[in-house]
């Protein structure tokens, strides 16, 4: 098993920090690795432009073809990540770069994806011709870096390239293990099970794994675009020990046991946009950064094995993080939290019969959640918590009972969801014992603006005593709110409560229905044959132009530039879609 150490150099130009990757890194004793640099913005197009520098020309083209007549040349367009929107209603960004097509001579032909993966090097296009294939494992390859991505691209029409057998590691169909600077585009990654069926086959369609205990590395700079990963035993997508990932325009669907997609183990710096998470047994999108799993992985790394045996205490966990930061650098190892995510423009539909949250967040911090449409699910809408980890337990039960017990974040759980901005989401549900928006287990400092949070059952917004600190909730439409385990005196810790004149309450789905262009509960997508399409009968939750509930009001300082469909917003309004014109 190959192990790769990577030199990381930071250049600063015009205020932009860029990580360049080169040869082996030699460290003196006690010298930490360089920490990855994350670009901070509320604009995902800016994040993409600053974070990913994909080559406009390929160094080589390798072809994978099961037929006896592979092509000698390929014409292919360069990849333009900011060019299109998945459900853009024929809206195209005028300033978006357009793809340029070029002709390439084929440098090599392979029968299997694994052979091509083994031969790949930085800057290559792996053009996969129509057919049915087993998956592949990719580790860090020579020459991969900025401007030199390894690009696996399915050719032909959508669904023509099918991966329906696992890689050489049976748990995963596609495994990127301690790899970096990789693009996976356009594949039908087909499992053989689904909700209510016998769980069998690979655990996930796509797996990103730094496998930190063995490699000391994270998988990073990965782009997943236009894929259809479905009917797997546990997850359409899973990741751990990762940073700097773009998930765009994919459909993750019909996982038998758990989630449509699952980001875990201290992963950081993701943009998850324009995807559909559909029809899985548990969560639609689960971003549970999982302290327990993170620390179990971390302490197995040889550099940390002398650290004391695990204790379920805050002091033990904080000490481990301190030591790991000294050895590896901040955000350069699985630390049980995730920072700098943008989760936007996604549709989450028909998930959750096994529970959890449609958008289930644990340990997600300093991130942006906006323009997501969540409807027709059976679990929580957006849930923020700490995954009930043992290191936070002493701060959660019973939690604070008076304001003087919370003087700063040091008095609260460490691995809840902190400092997230949640704006212009639409969550519609009728689920007993669940909430459209929940903050618990130390999920403090949440700012909520311009959302539609409607649960016909109690509650639309639920806030626990460990999460009231610096809560800032205004300009939302809800049904009911609950303050759980909350003495009245604790409410003084909030900046703004989800009640009063800046919150419209008492709104059920029945009352809201007439305010939308077309209310309904039809599924968002139809899966047929080897691909999928948008359901022509899907609801249209765009507010009517004259809607008093949803149109022409909100926080003018907190709304995205565009809405879920890609339409430009000119003024505030409620929910994921701007009002019809």
């Amino acid at each position: 098993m190959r192990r790769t150490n990577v030199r990381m150099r930071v250049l600063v130009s015009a205020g932009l920090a860029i990580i360049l990757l080169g040869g082996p890194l030699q460290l003196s004793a006690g010298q930490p690795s360089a920490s990855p640099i994350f670009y901070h913005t509320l604009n995902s197009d800016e994040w993409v432009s600053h974070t990913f520098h994909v080559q406009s020309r390929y160094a080589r083209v390798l072809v994978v073809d099961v037929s006896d007549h592979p092509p000698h040349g390929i014409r292919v367009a360069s990849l333009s990540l900011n060019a299109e929107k998945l459900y853009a209603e024929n809206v195209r960004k005028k300033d978006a770069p357009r793809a340029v097509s070029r002709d390439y001579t084929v440098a090599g032909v392979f029968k299997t994806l694994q052979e091509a993966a083994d031969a790949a090097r930085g800057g290559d296009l792996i053009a996969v011709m129509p057919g049915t294939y087993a998956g592949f494992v990719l580790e860090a390859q020579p020459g991969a870096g900025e401007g030199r991505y390894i690009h696996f691209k399915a050719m032909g029409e959508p669904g023509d390239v099918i991966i329906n057998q696992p890689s050489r590691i049976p748990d995963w169909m596609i495994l990127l293990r301690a790899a970096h600077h990789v693009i996976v585009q356009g594949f039908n990654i087909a499992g053989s099970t689904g909700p209510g069926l016998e769980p069998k086959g690979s655990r996930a369609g796509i797996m990103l794994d730094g496998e930190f205990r063995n490699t000391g590395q994270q998988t990073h700079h990965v782009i997943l675009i236009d894929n259809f990963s479905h009917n797997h035993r546990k997850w359409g997508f899973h990741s751990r020990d990762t940073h700097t990932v773009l998930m765009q325009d994919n459909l993750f669907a019909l996982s038998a046991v758990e989630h449509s997609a699952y980001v875990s183990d201290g992963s950081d710096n993701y943009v998850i946009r324009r995807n559909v998470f559909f029809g899985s047994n548990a969560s639609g999108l689960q971003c549970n950064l999982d302290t327990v799993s993170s620390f179990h992985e971390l302490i197995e790394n040889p550099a940390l094995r002398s650290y004391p045996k695990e204790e379920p205490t805050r002091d033990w966990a904080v000490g481990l993080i301190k030591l790991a930061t000294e050895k590896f650098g901040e955000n350069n190892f699985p630390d049980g939290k995730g920072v700098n995510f943008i989760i936007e423009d996604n549709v989450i539909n028909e998930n959750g019969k096994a529970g959890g949250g449609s958008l289930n967040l644990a340990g997600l911090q300093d991130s942006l959640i906006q323009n997501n449409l969540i409807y027709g699910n059976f679990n929580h809408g957006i849930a923020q918590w700490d995954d009930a980890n043992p290191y936070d337990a002493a701060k959660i039960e019973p939690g604070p009972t008076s304001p003087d017990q919370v003087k700063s974040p040091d008095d609260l759980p460490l691995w809840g969801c902190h400092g997230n901005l949640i704006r212009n989401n639409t969550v519609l549900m009728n689920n007993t014992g669940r909430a459209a928006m929940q903050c618990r287990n130390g999920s403090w400092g949440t700012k909520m603006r311009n959302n539609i949070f409607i649960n016909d059952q109690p509650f639309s917004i639920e806030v626990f005593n460990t999460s009231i600190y610096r809560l800032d909730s205004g300009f939302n439409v809800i049904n009911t709110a609950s303050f759980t385990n909350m003495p009245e005196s604790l409410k003084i810790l909030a900046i703004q409560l989800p009640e009063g004149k800046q919150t419209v309450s008492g709104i059920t789905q029945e009352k809201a229905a007439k305010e939308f262009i077309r209310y309904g509960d039809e599924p968002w997508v139809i899966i047929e044959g080897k691909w999928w399409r948008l359901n022509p009968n899907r609801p249209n939750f765009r507010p009517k132009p004259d809607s008093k509930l949803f149109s022409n009001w909100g926080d003018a300082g907190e709304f995205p530039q565009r809405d879920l469909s890609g339409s430009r917003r000119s003024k505030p309004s409620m929910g994921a879609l701007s009002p019809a014109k």
Side-chain angles (χ1 to χ4, degrees):
M1 185 159 48
R2 213 170 21 237
R3 184 172 174 183
T4 305
N5 291 321
V6 179
R7 179 185 300 276
M8 305 182 79
R9 255 185 323 125
V10 178
L11 302 182
V12 178
S13 175
L16 168 63
I18 306 173
I19 299 176
L20 300 180
L21 294 103
L25 175 62
Q26 302 296 326
L27 294 178
S28 61
Q31 180 184 352
S33 303
S35 300
I37 306 298
F38 302 152
Y39 185 80
H40 298 278
T41 178
L42 298 181
N43 184 316
S44 66
D45 285 351
E46 289 181 358
W47 183 92
V48 167
S49 296
H50 286 94
T51 301
F52 293 102
H53 302 90
V54 177
Q55 64 268 26
S56 59
R57 294 177 182 266
Y58 297 105
R60 300 186 304 173
V61 172
L62 306 181
V63 162
V64 183
D65 194 339
V66 293
S67 79
D68 295 327
H69 306 286
H72 300 292
I74 290 284
R75 183 170 181 81
V76 66
S78 58
L79 181 61
S80 183
L81 295 171
N82 283 334
E84 303 273 356
K85 289 279 190 182
L86 182 59
Y87 355 94
E89 298 177 359
N90 299 316
V91 173
R92 185 185 180 94
K93 300 180 202 172
K94 294 180 180 178
D95 56 347
R98 293 179 179 270
V100 176
S101 293
R102 292 188 173 89
D103 293 309
Y104 294 89
T105 300
V106 172
V109 178
F110 303 89
K111 289 290 188 183
T112 71
L113 280 162
Q114 190 60 63
E115 290 173 325
D118 291 341
R121 60 183 186 234
D124 284 351
L125 172 68
I126 315 299
V128 187
M129 305 310 292
T132 301
Y133 299 88
F136 65 92
V137 178
L138 184 74
E139 300 183 68
Q141 296 295 89
E146 286 304 295
R148 303 185 307 279
Y149 280 76
I150 299 172
H151 186 174
F152 291 83
K153 179 178 173 64
M155 307 302 289
E157 296 300 315
D160 280 354
V161 179
I162 300 171
I163 298 174
N164 65 1
Q165 297 296 322
S167 69
R168 66 181 183 226
I169 299 178
D171 276 345
W172 322 113
M173 288 196 170
I174 295 176
L175 170 61
L176 306 185
R177 178 188 177 275
H180 56 86
H181 295 89
V182 183
I183 303 167
V184 178
Q185 182 181 9
F187 292 89
N188 177 355
I189 308 165
S192 57
T193 184
L197 301 177
E198 177 190 356
K200 61 180 181 179
S202 297
R203 296 173 72 194
I206 302 174
M207 175 63 168
L208 313 184
D209 190 0
E211 202 176 308
F212 194 86
R213 68 175 65 198
N214 295 319
T215 69
Q217 305 290 330
Q218 292 184 299
T219 291
H220 61 92
H221 286 84
V222 174
I223 298 167
L224 306 176
I225 183 170
D226 300 329
N227 299 290
F228 176 26
S229 184
H230 58 100
N231 292 100
H232 298 288
R233 176 157 50 104
K234 295 196 77 172
W235 315 291
F237 165 83
H238 185 36
S239 68
R240 62 181 188 178
D241 312 345
T242 62
H243 71 77
T244 313
V245 175
L246 173 64
M247 298 166 60
Q248 175 174 304
D249 294 340
N250 304 283
L251 172 59
F252 301 105
L254 301 173
S255 298
V257 178
E258 289 195 8
H259 322 303
S260 295
Y262 180 16
V263 180
S264 72
D265 285 27
S267 294
D268 295 306
N269 201 40
Y270 275 55
V271 164
I272 303 173
R273 66 178 184 177
R274 295 152 37 184
N275 305 281
V276 179
F277 304 95
F278 177 74
S280 291
N281 195 40
S283 298
L285 172 60
Q286 168 121 332
C287 296
N288 172 10
L289 289 312
D290 203 335
T291 52
V292 173
S293 180
S294 292
F295 296 162
H296 288 178
E297 181 77 10
L298 181 59
I299 202 167
E300 289 298 318
N301 185 278
L304 298 172
R305 284 180 180 165
S306 63
Y307 191 72
K309 184 179 178 180
E310 181 180 10
E311 299 175 6
T313 66
R314 182 178 179 130
D315 287 346
W316 180 89
V318 168
L320 179 63
I321 292 293
K322 182 176 184 294
L323 180 60
T325 302
E326 293 170 357
K327 291 185 176 293
F328 302 111
E330 187 178 11
N331 298 323
N332 213 17
F333 59 89
D335 58 4
K337 62 180 176 62
V339 299
N340 206 47
F341 280 56
I342 299 177
I343 302 172
E344 68 175 12
D345 300 349
N346 303 288
V347 176
I348 305 176
N349 178 225
E350 294 199 358
N351 304 278
K353 289 185 177 179
S358 302
L359 177 53
N360 205 34
L361 312 174
L364 186 77
Q365 301 176 6
D366 301 321
S367 293
L368 172 65
I369 297 100
Q370 66 180 12
N371 282 347
N372 299 289
L373 172 59
I374 301 172
Y375 80 100
N377 300 283
F378 305 95
N379 47 10
H380 288 295
I382 302 174
Q384 295 191 123
W385 70 317
D386 72 340
D387 199 35
N389 74 81
Y391 323 108
D392 276 337
K395 295 288 186 180
I396 290 170
E397 294 294 341
T401 57
S402 64
D404 59 7
Q405 293 175 328
V406 185
K407 295 182 173 61
S408 75
D410 292 339
D411 299 316
L412 295 167
L414 292 178
W415 285 281
C417 295
H418 306 164
N420 294 327
L421 173 57
I422 300 177
R423 65 184 186 182
N424 283 97
N425 300 281
T426 297
V427 183
L428 301 170
M429 53 192 279
N430 181 21
N431 301 338
T432 302
R434 303 288 178 174
M437 177 70 231
Q438 185 186 66
C439 301
R440 65 176 302 170
N441 289 42
S443 293
W444 52 265
T446 302
K447 187 173 186 178
M448 307 176 198
R449 287 293 189 275
N450 303 334
N451 299 286
I452 301 171
F453 290 142
I454 297 176
N455 184 8
D456 289 346
Q457 305 295 324
F459 296 98
S460 290
I461 295 178
E462 184 177 27
V463 182
F464 283 66
N465 59 338
T466 56
S467 302
I468 192 69
Y469 179 71
R470 299 196 64 79
L471 173 70
D472 187 358
S473 176
F475 301 96
N476 301 295
V477 175
I478 71 171
N479 186 10
T480 60
S482 171
F483 301 95
T484 303
N485 299 333
M486 186 85 64
E488 192 68 24
S489 62
L490 272 185
K491 293 181 179 179
I492 197 174
L493 297 174
I495 295 173
Q496 187 170 0
L497 295 169
E499 56 187 21
K501 62 182 182 180
Q502 290 186 342
T503 299
V504 176
S505 59
I507 304 302
T508 63
Q509 291 186 84
E510 182 180 6
K511 291 179 180 178
K514 61 180 180 295
E515 307 282 335
F516 296 119
I517 295 296
R518 185 174 65 252
Y519 176 84
D521 58 5
E522 287 284 325
W524 193 256
V525 296
I526 295 173
I527 297 170
E528 55 187 14
K530 57 189 179 182
W531 204 246
W532 63 278
R533 61 188 173 93
L534 292 172
N535 182 359
N537 297 318
R538 68 192 184 279
N540 184 344
F541 293 112
R542 189 178 294 282
K544 294 177 180 178
D546 59 351
S547 169
K548 293 182 179 180
L549 275 180
F550 304 137
S551 300
N552 305 314
W553 77 285
D555 187 341
E558 283 292 358
F559 65 91
Q561 294 179 2
R562 297 181 183 273
D563 72 0
L564 167 66
S565 74
S567 297
R568 185 170 292 279
R569 294 179 186 268
S570 60
K571 54 187 175 181
S573 60
M574 298 293 111
L577 289 157
S578 57
K581 296 181 179 179

